[in-house]
């Protein structure tokens, strides 16, 4: 089963997400530890996924928007990641829609303001992409 299949408009849209990169897909501030020695450690691999490498920077965009960046600013930050340039605009538009739907569902199922904030950020990114 493909992890995002419930959030696409058409099953063939999933082909745009295919790839062989190992992704974290939950790059929120609590999952990135910076111990002070020049390294960054990714922890809490609850959503590991094998897919297109540009998806991790795209997931990061949502968290940057949730932290107060505009979607355009967040995308400029994501552009510093080489794999971001491999994504075509149609794939990014579709994935923004997927993220908005995913996070809306999580916010509906999860009590607490944090999930609502991420869902709002994902909706802002989707609106920016469309």
């Amino acid at each position: 089963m493909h992890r995002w299949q419930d959030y696409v408009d058409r099953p063939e849209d999933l082909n745009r997400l295919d790839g062989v990169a190992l992704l974290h897909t939950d790059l929120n501030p609590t999952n990135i530890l910076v111990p002070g020695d020049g390294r960054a450690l990714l922890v809490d691999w609850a959503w590991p996924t094998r897919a297109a490498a540009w998806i991790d920077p795209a997931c990061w965009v949502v968290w940057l928007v949730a932290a107060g960046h505009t979607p355009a600013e967040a995308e400029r930050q994501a552009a510093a990641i080489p794999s971001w340039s491999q994504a075509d605009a149609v794939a990014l538009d579709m994935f923004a829609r997927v993220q908005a739907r995913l996070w809306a569902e999580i916010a509906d199922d999860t009590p607490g303001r944090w999930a609502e904030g991420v869902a709002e950020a994902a909706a802002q990114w989707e609106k920016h992409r469309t």
Side-chain angles (χ1 to χ4, degrees):
M1 178 168 97
H2 198 289
R3 167 169 176 205
W4 293 294
Q5 72 181 12
D6 293 340
Y7 308 104
V8 295
D9 292 327
R10 302 167 308 165
E12 58 269 21
D13 289 341
L14 292 171
N15 295 333
R16 295 187 179 280
L17 307 178
D18 285 344
V20 297
L22 174 61
L23 307 176
H24 188 279
T25 72
D26 191 18
L27 298 173
N28 73 68
T30 63
N31 288 344
I32 303 169
L33 304 179
V34 182
D37 60 1
R39 297 179 302 148
L41 307 172
L42 297 178
V43 299
D44 187 7
W45 284 75
W47 290 352
T49 303
R50 190 177 71 180
W54 58 264
I55 291 174
D56 257 352
C59 292
W60 186 40
V61 165
V62 173
W63 285 99
L64 288 171
V65 174
H69 296 270
T70 68
E73 291 169 342
E75 285 189 346
R76 279 194 294 279
Q77 293 298 316
I81 308 300
S83 63
W84 177 265
S85 65
Q86 296 172 3
D88 66 56
V90 174
L92 286 170
D93 296 346
M94 186 266 301
F95 194 68
R97 189 168 40 259
V98 164
Q99 288 292 282
R101 292 171 179 173
L102 168 73
W103 282 105
E105 183 177 283
I106 291 171
D108 285 345
D109 294 342
T110 305
R113 179 72 187 124
W114 76 268
E116 293 171 9
V118 179
E120 290 170 13
Q124 286 177 34
W125 185 41
E126 178 189 21
K127 183 177 179 182
H128 170 76
R129 296 291 318 173
T130 56

